[in-house]
């Protein structure tokens, strides 16, 4: 069953099919609803159609990790770091570096 929020976002997307924020919002709502296949589909579409939308990479990578797709997560974080550097988005870069290092098993807590 589709939530009213998801249905509303789909209607908005039908009116504005090239709006990256709507794709992101829809992916996020699907994820919240536990519909990971739909969330994955929209995050991947966002990465393909709007590769400069920095917020995609963190969430897509985390989703890959939750699905046990570590290699896809690492590649996604790496791509996101490149985009964040190009856009000079230091906050996103910092977040992506942290999850990238974690995915590689380089957590700071392991340095003891």
């Amino acid at each position: 069953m589709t939530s009213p929020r998801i249905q509303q976002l789909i209607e908005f997307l039908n009116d504005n099919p090239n709006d990256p924020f709507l794709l992101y919002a829809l992916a996020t709502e699907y994820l919240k609803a536990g519909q990971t296949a739909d969330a994955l589909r929209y995050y991947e579409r966002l990465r393909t159609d709007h590769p400069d939308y920095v917020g995609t990479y963190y969430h897509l990578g985390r989703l890959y990790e939750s699905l046990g797709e570590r290699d896809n997560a690492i590649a996604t974080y790496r791509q996101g770091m490149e985009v964040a550097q190009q856009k000079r988005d230091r906050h996103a870069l910092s977040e992506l570096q942290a999850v990238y290092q974690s995915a590689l098993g380089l957590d700071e807590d392991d340095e003891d």
Side-chain angles (χ1 to χ4, degrees), residues 58-101:
Y58 177 90
H59 296 285
L60 178 57
R62 297 297 284 185
L63 180 53
Y64 280 139
E65 283 194 78
S66 75
L67 296 172
E69 297 182 27
R70 182 176 170 266
D71 291 343
N72 282 338
I74 289 169
T76 299
Y77 296 143
R78 193 175 296 131
Q79 184 181 10
M81 288 186 295
E82 291 173 13
V83 172
Q85 284 178 325
Q86 291 168 3
K87 295 185 71 92
R88 301 182 194 277
D89 186 334
R90 292 180 190 196
H91 179 73
L93 179 60
S94 175
E95 287 183 333
L96 287 161
Q97 287 171 330
V99 290
Y100 175 72
Q101 290 178 350

Side-chain angles (χ1 to χ4, degrees), residues 3-4 8 14 22 35 52 54-55 66 79-80 85 93 100 103:
S3 76
Q8 183 180 38
N14 287 337
L22 292 175
Q35 296 174 264
D52 62 338
V54 178
S66 75
Q79 184 181 10
Q85 284 178 325
L93 179 60
Y100 175 72

Side-chain angles (χ1 to χ4, degrees), residues 11-65:
E11 290 172 16
F12 289 154
L13 189 60
N14 287 337
D15 291 339
N16 299 292
N18 204 32
D19 185 327
F21 177 76
L22 292 175
L23 291 169
Y24 178 82
L26 195 51
T28 302
E29 287 298 319
Y30 274 125
L31 192 58
K32 287 180 190 175
Q35 296 174 264
T36 55
D38 290 316
L40 184 61
R41 182 166 45 98
Y42 280 99
Y43 281 132
E44 288 178 338
R45 178 177 162 193
L46 186 58
R47 180 180 59 185
T48 300
D49 294 350
H50 303 280
D52 62 338
Y53 199 83
V54 178
T56 305
Y57 297 95
Y58 177 90
H59 296 285
L60 178 57
R62 297 297 284 185
L63 180 53
Y64 280 139
E65 283 194 78

